[in-house]
Amino acid sequence: AQTVTQSQPEMSVQEAETVTLSCTYDTSESNYYLFWYKQPPSRQMILVIRQEAYKQQNATENRFSVNFQKAAKSFSLKISDSQLGDTAMYFCAFMKLVGEGGADGLTFGKGTHLIIQP
Amino acid sequence: DVKVTQSSRYLVKRTGEKVFLECVQDMDHENMFWYRQDPGLGLRLIYFSYDVKMKEKGDIPEGYSVSREKKERFSLILESASTNQTSMYLCASTRWTGTLLKDTQYFGPGTRLTVL
């Protein structure tokens, strides 16, 4: 079974600063996907960024980027030029490949509550 | 635009009642999922389905069952609701082709269920 650990229950930074959210995971799988999801007060889960384990290049999406260290089983999220709208719960999630049978469910960390201060 | 809808945003039921939570997606996705979300615990997988009439247990299936009679609809059933099933329930769907994830999991808005 997989486990995902987010060691920072809450973080607070000033607007325009850069912030890094930590995530580590434990798995015996060699091929898998990793995700960061954002959940604002509206409760809607929104995909922030995704990384395929077989890709060495770190994924980026505008102000969001990841530092994927496969050997260390680490997957941190960096938010540059943080904005008030980035205030939300952030969840790190893991999905393993399951072949022809279909998609496996996500294994989530417990989340990091990120607060952007004006 | 991608759309996953859930039948209710808020639901209040009494202990022992049978509860149905409905989820519908309009993306022709084969795979659908039910999670529950509790403070400090993150999201946990209850059940999922690879296709119509197929179901698989997730990490916490006890006290729940599911139904998938049509591709677009995945129902979560609480046969006899209990207070420890008070939670936020999230439905999601995705497309998976062979060994490739063709689409990310898209989530519905959630149903906050209170069992009194």
Side-chain angles (χ1 to χ4, degrees), chain B residues 17-94:
Chain B
E17 279 193 78
K18 189 168 186 176
V19 182
F20 292 87
L21 303 182
E22 306 284 342
C23 174
V24 177
Q25 50 92 7
D26 64 0
M27 298 163 283
D28 200 35
H29 284 168
E30 299 84 5
N31 301 278
M32 296 187 74
F33 308 82
W34 276 106
Y35 298 88
R36 66 176 280 176
Q37 182 178 12
D38 300 288
L41 296 178
L43 284 81
R44 293 176 290 166
L45 181 65
I46 305 172
Y47 265 98
F48 59 109
S49 170
Y50 295 133
D51 208 339
V52 176
K53 296 194 184 297
M54 297 179 71
K55 60 183 179 183
E56 298 286 339
K57 292 180 179 179
D59 300 319
I60 51 164
E62 296 77 20
Y64 303 94
S65 62
V66 291
S67 173
R68 183 112 182 256
E69 296 297 319
K70 293 184 177 181
K71 190 175 185 179
E72 68 271 16
R73 188 179 297 270
F74 191 36
S75 302
L76 181 68
I77 303 158
L78 288 66
E79 294 289 341
S80 178
S82 63
T83 54
N84 63 12
Q85 293 178 309
T86 291
S87 186
M88 167 86 113
Y89 291 88
L90 290 156
C91 175
S93 73
T94 194

Side-chain angles (χ1 to χ4, degrees), chain A residues 39-100:
Chain A
Q39 188 179 43
S42 66
R43 308 182 318 199
Q44 179 68 52
M45 292 286 284
I46 302 165
L47 176 69
V48 175
I49 200 163
R50 119 183 191 180
Q51 175 81 42
E52 289 84 348
Y54 63 85
K55 290 186 178 179
Q56 293 191 345
Q57 188 172 5
N58 289 326
T60 62
E61 286 288 344
N62 301 313
R63 297 183 295 108
F64 299 88
S65 62
V66 298
N67 184 5
F68 173 48
Q69 302 288 328
K70 190 173 184 179
K73 295 180 182 174
S74 171
F75 183 61
S76 61
L77 174 70
K78 186 171 85 170
I79 305 173
S80 303
D81 186 28
S82 57
Q83 301 174 359
L84 296 178
D86 295 332
T87 293
M89 282 291 291
Y90 286 81
F91 292 98
C92 179
F94 173 102
M95 177 191 280
K96 69 179 183 182
L97 299 186
V98 292
E100 297 292 332

